Amino acid sequence: MEAAFLEGAGFNSNGLQLLVRGFIAALFSLWALWVIYNQFKLVVAEQLTVIQWVFNTVTVTVIYTIMLVIIAL
């Protein structure tokens, strides 16, 4: 199957798999940074307490780590 894909597509399927995984990981990274940054803006605007922001940041980081582990499998 691998040889047929290499002959038909002209590149290795493992390279394509790594590219897709990297793209998904990059999207999750952007999502995590976006959520943390927007919640930080709420802290600055005094609509969210620092303790809530820290808890939410830890939660997002745990979710982000779990998603990276799932993507790596």
Side-chain angles (χ1 to χ4, degrees), residues 52-70:
Q52 288 173 328
W53 179 71
V54 169
F55 176 76
N56 292 343
T57 301
V58 169
T59 304
V60 168
T61 305
V62 167
I63 291 170
Y64 173 67
T65 304
I66 290 170
M67 292 309 298
L68 286 183
V69 168
I70 289 172

Side-chain angles (χ1 to χ4, degrees), residues 28-71:
F28 274 111
S29 299
L30 289 173
W31 169 79
L33 290 173
W34 181 258
V35 168
I36 292 170
Y37 173 70
N38 281 329
Q39 288 186 355
F40 179 73
K41 288 192 322 188
L42 290 174
V43 170
V44 171
E46 296 181 358
Q47 296 177 354
L48 191 67
T49 65
V50 175
I51 294 173
Q52 288 173 328
W53 179 71
V54 169
F55 176 76
N56 292 343
T57 301
V58 169
T59 304
V60 168
T61 305
V62 167
I63 291 170
Y64 173 67
T65 304
I66 290 170
M67 292 309 298
L68 286 183
V69 168
I70 289 172
I71 290 170

